[in-house]
């Protein structure tokens, strides 16, 4: 039964990869090097998405 569970997990990860949706465990905002802020993003940050708690996911501008 344990092997069946592990095979299902591997199958799920493979299907996500085939669909083009990377599986990143944890906070998706941190995976994008962002921070969660209430409200809108202010300078020097820009909006990159929404956090799990409904806050704005903001990332700092990087000048080259």
């Amino acid at each position: 039964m344990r092997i069946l569970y592990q095979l299902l997990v591997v199958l799920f990860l493979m299907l996500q990869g085939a669909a083009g949706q990377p599986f990143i465990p944890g906070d998706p905002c941190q995976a994008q090097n962002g921070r969660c802020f209430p409200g809108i993003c202010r300078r020097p940050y820009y909006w990159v998405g929404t956090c799990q708690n409904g806050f704005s996911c903001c990332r700092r501008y990087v000048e080259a």
Side-chain angles (χ1 to χ4, degrees):
M1 191 67 182
R2 186 174 180 160
I3 294 173
L4 179 63
Y5 173 74
Q6 289 178 346
L7 288 174
L8 287 174
V9 169
V10 169
L11 178 65
F12 174 73
L13 292 175
M14 288 175 55
L15 288 175
Q16 271 196 327
Q21 298 177 353
F23 177 72
I24 302 173
D27 186 19
C29 189
Q30 280 186 339
Q32 299 181 43
N33 294 328
R35 299 175 68 190
C36 296
F37 290 104
I40 62 173
C41 301
R42 307 254 185 226
R43 288 184 186 183
Y45 295 94
Y46 65 97
W47 186 84
V48 291
T50 305
C51 297
Q52 294 174 345
N53 57 4
F55 288 179
S56 296
C57 180
C58 306
R59 185 170 27 185
R60 184 181 280 269
Y61 282 111
V62 177
E63 295 186 20

